[in-house]
């Protein structure tokens, strides 16, 4: 079953012509899809179109109403005074947008997710004081609070120690296998992406140059 | 000390100032946390200059209730400041500098032509505890209650929009709407607070409590609560010292805020030593 369908998507920034050109992608439920490509190839732009952050594209994007999202590290203020619990709970806001306070079921759901991701015992700690890997765990927990159907991650292992990066990939793999969560990830870390992803999509200058199984993809080769 | 407080509170103008000042300090602190974290600290400064321009022109033209004229104009300016700051060609800090200096210049020019730089203008610049009349008190009361209630209602959303605007949009929130709401509420607080605090000093009660709290507290909720407490306490100590030593109220409040900031800074340094 297709969870995300992108049909003939094209997008231009006002200052740059044809950032994305005629993109067609199907993301099936319970799969791990990785979008790879050089810097400036249009990976993050594509994610922002899917999330509704970039308006004015042509074509069609069919996606679930709720999508979990993990932004690039640079989008988060490094010294923001917020506890882990506050950050994770904020993921539930979209589920009860008109409510003034958090609902009991949202609190219980967030607790369960924090326990699953082994951050419950440190929930009162400041987000800014955590290591890069722990921060990503917290942001994955927040994304899962929004929905347990699909999470979209924009360069989640950027700037992380290789050992920590592997832990993040393993965590995503476990979430996919145990909870049937669909994962759509943007990364320039091609080698590790090929190891864990079910499908790979490569973007070159805003166009899809490869879409298929990791085993068919040639790193640095002519795909 | 108790005797001085009783004597101080026997004056009607001080009762008014304590009521309005406490409420304005509370509201400024609540909004200040978001403004500082979203790097909009200087918006308070810019809006106070716009407020000065409008109030002086309205007064020079003989308006009996200049606050009622200033409120909508400063609120519109807040939206314009945000829009121009986001349009890419003019950066936020430049747009604040442009609008605030232009408004200040317009106010000074019109005043020079009409009434001249009299005591009223001086009061707008540096604040006066005598500036609040009964109508101002009621207006301030209503605005403060509205600001506090809206802050409580939108607390969760303001947190999310401040922490991660993209995630907020992806969650279905109209992020720009909440940023505009904060700007308009800030405009309201600035206008009702600037007559007592002064144009030059009002932005400090927005910035200081939030910065001070962030030195010690590491959760958003604690920072918000601490800012509100620090702001109101600074105001009360400030107005007391101002009465006791006959110093400008606005300046004393800012200096109390500065002292608390330095104390918190030292505490933080000792804690991390």
């Amino acid at each position: 079953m297709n969870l995300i369908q992108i049909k003939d998507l094209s997008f231009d920034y006002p200052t740059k012509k044809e950032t994305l050109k005629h993109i067609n992608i199907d993301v099936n439920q319970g799969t791990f899809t990785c979008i790879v490509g050089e810097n400036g190839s249009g990976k993050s732009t594509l994610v922002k179109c899917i999330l509704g952050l970039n308006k004015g594209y042509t074509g069609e994007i069919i996606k679930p109403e709720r999508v979990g999202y993990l932004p690039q590290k640079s989008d988060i203020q490094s010294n923001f005074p917020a506890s882990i619990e506050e950050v994770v709970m904020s993921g539930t806001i979209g589920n009860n947008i008109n409510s003034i306070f958090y609902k009991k079921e949202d609190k219980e759901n967030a607790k369960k997710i924090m326990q699953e991701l082994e951050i419950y015992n440190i929930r009162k700690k400041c987000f800014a004081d955590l290591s890069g890997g722990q921060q990503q765990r917290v942001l994955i927990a927040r994304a899962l609070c929004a929905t347990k159907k699909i999470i979209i991650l924009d360069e989640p292992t950027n700037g992380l120690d290789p050992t920590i990066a592997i832990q993040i990939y393993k965590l995503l793999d476990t979430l996919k296998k145990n909870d049937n969560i669909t994962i759509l990830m943007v990364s320039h870390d091609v080698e590790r992406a090929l190891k864990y992803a079910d499908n790979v999509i490569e973007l070159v200058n805003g166009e899809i140059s490869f879409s298929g199984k990791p085993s068919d993809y040639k790193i640095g080769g002519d795909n | 000390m108790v005797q001085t407080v009783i004597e101080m509170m026997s004056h009607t103008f001080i009762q008014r100032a304590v009521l309005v000042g406490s409420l304005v300090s509370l509201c400024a602190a609540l909004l200040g946390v978001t403004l500082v974290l979203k790097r909009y600290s200087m918006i308070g400064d810019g809006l106070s200059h716009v407020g000065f321009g409008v109030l002086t022109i309205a007064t020079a033209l003989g308006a009996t209730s200049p606050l009622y004229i200033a409120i909508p104009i400063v609120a519109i300016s807040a939206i314009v400041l945000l829009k121009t700051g986001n349009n890419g060609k003019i950066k936020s800090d430049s747009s604040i500098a442009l609008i605030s200096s232009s408004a200040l210049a317009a106010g000074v020019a019109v005043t020079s032509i009409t009434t001249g730089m009299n005591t009223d203008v001086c009061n707008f610049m540096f604040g006066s505890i005598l500036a609040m009349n009964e109508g101002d008190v009621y207006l301030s009361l209503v605005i403060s209650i509205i600001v506090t209630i809206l802050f409580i209602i939108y607390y969760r959303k303001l947190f999310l929009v401040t922490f991660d605007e993209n995630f907020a949009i992806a969650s279905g929130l109209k992020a720009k709407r909440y940023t505009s709401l904060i700007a308009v509420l800030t405009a309201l607080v600035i206008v009702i607070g600037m007559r007592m605090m002064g144009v030059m000093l009002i932005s400090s009660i927005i910035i200081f409590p939030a910065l001070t709290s962030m030195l010690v507290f590491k959760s958003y909720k604690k920072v918000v609560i601490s800012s509100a407490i620090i702001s109101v306490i600074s105001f009360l100590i400030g107005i007391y010292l101002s009465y006791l030593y006959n110093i400008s109220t606005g300046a004393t409040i800012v200096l109390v805020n500065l002292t608390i900031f330095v104390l918190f800074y030292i505490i933080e340094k000792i804690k991390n030593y």
Side-chain angles (χ1 to χ4, degrees), chain B:
Chain B
M1 184 187 163
V2 176
Q3 194 58 41
T4 315
V5 173
I6 293 168
E7 184 198 309
M8 192 177 106
M9 291 307 290
S10 66
H11 302 290
T12 313
F13 72 94
I14 300 238
Q15 289 168 8
R16 284 178 187 157
V18 168
L19 178 66
V20 173
S22 303
L23 290 168
V24 168
S25 302
L26 172 74
C27 296
L30 295 179
L31 298 170
V33 176
T34 306
L35 291 171
V36 168
L37 287 168
K38 276 193 89 63
R39 315 233 164 109
Y40 288 147
S41 303
M42 290 313 289
I43 208 170
D45 205 45
L47 291 176
S48 64
H49 286 78
V50 175
F52 171 81
V54 180
L55 283 176
T56 46
I57 292 170
T59 308
L61 296 176
T64 46
S65 299
L67 271 188
Y68 291 94
I69 299 168
I71 285 170
I73 295 177
V74 179
I76 291 165
S77 305
I79 307 263
V80 173
L81 272 176
L82 280 181
K83 295 271 179 220
T84 51
N86 291 332
N87 79 359
K89 283 185 182 166
I90 307 171
K91 295 286 170 223
S92 172
D93 55 342
S94 312
S95 68
I96 290 173
L98 276 177
I99 292 179
S100 65
S101 56
S102 305
L104 193 63
V108 172
V110 171
T111 309
S112 305
I113 296 165
T114 53
T115 56
M117 300 295 275
N118 54 23
T119 325
D120 277 348
V121 179
C122 228
N123 285 345
F124 285 145
M125 293 295 273
F126 303 106
S128 168
I129 201 165
L130 300 167
M132 308 296 294
N133 60 37
E134 207 178 325
D136 294 344
V137 173
Y138 290 126
L139 182 66
S140 306
L141 204 66
V142 170
I143 288 177
S144 302
I145 291 168
I146 291 172
V147 171
T148 310
I149 289 174
L150 287 177
F151 185 84
I152 293 167
I153 290 175
Y154 295 119
Y155 172 82
R156 294 186 317 150
K157 291 162 194 166
L158 290 175
F159 167 78
L160 186 54
V161 169
T162 311
F163 180 67
D164 186 351
E165 195 168 315
N166 282 347
F167 187 90
I169 296 167
S171 298
L173 264 69
K174 309 269 183 223
K176 296 274 179 277
R177 192 181 289 177
Y178 293 103
T179 314
S180 300
L181 176 73
I182 281 288
V184 171
L185 295 181
T186 306
L188 297 179
V189 172
I190 295 279
V191 176
I192 58 171
M194 64 180 275
R195 299 193 76 181
M196 188 162 53
M197 287 296 295
V199 172
M200 308 303 282
L201 304 169
I202 182 78
S203 62
S204 65
I205 64 164
I206 290 176
I207 301 167
F208 265 121
L211 282 180
T212 304
S213 304
M214 277 181 231
L215 286 172
V216 174
F217 296 106
K218 302 290 181 189
S219 103
Y220 186 75
K221 192 175 168 185
K222 284 180 186 167
V223 167
V224 168
I225 293 170
S226 155
S227 293
I229 294 170
I230 288 173
S231 189
V232 175
I233 287 176
S234 299
F235 169 77
L236 294 174
I237 296 174
I239 201 165
Y240 171 75
L241 293 177
S242 151
Y243 179 82
L244 200 62
Y245 298 109
N246 196 23
I247 319 167
S248 154
T249 313
T252 316
I253 293 165
V254 176
L255 290 174
V256 172
N257 266 300
L258 174 67
T259 309
I260 296 176
F261 176 81
V262 172
L263 279 175
F264 270 54
Y265 182 80
I266 294 168
I267 291 168
E268 171 64 4
K269 286 287 163 203
I270 293 169
K271 258 173 72 180
N272 292 334
Y273 185 68

Side-chain angles (χ1 to χ4, degrees), chain A residues 30 172-181 183 196:
Chain A
L172 295 173
D173 196 47
T174 310
L175 288 171
K176 185 198 82 174
K177 284 176 182 157
N178 293 354
D179 301 325
N180 197 34
I181 293 169
I183 291 159
Y196 290 95

Side-chain angles (χ1 to χ4, degrees), chain A residues 39-55:
Chain A
N39 286 340
S41 58
K43 307 186 295 291
S44 294
T45 306
L46 175 58
V47 163
K48 285 182 177 166
C49 286
I50 297 171
L51 293 167
L53 302 175
N54 282 342
K55 310 275 183 201

Side-chain angles (χ1 to χ4, degrees), chain A residues 30-77:
Chain A
T31 57
F32 187 155
T33 303
C34 197
I35 302 170
V36 298
E38 297 286 313
N39 286 340
S41 58
K43 307 186 295 291
S44 294
T45 306
L46 175 58
V47 163
K48 285 182 177 166
C49 286
I50 297 171
L51 293 167
L53 302 175
N54 282 342
K55 310 275 183 201
Y57 55 77
T58 59
E60 193 181 2
I61 299 173
I62 301 166
K63 65 175 178 81
E65 196 190 348
R66 305 239 56 76
V67 173
Y69 170 53
L70 189 144
Q72 279 196 32
K73 217 176 161 196
S74 55
D75 290 348
I76 304 277
Q77 284 187 53

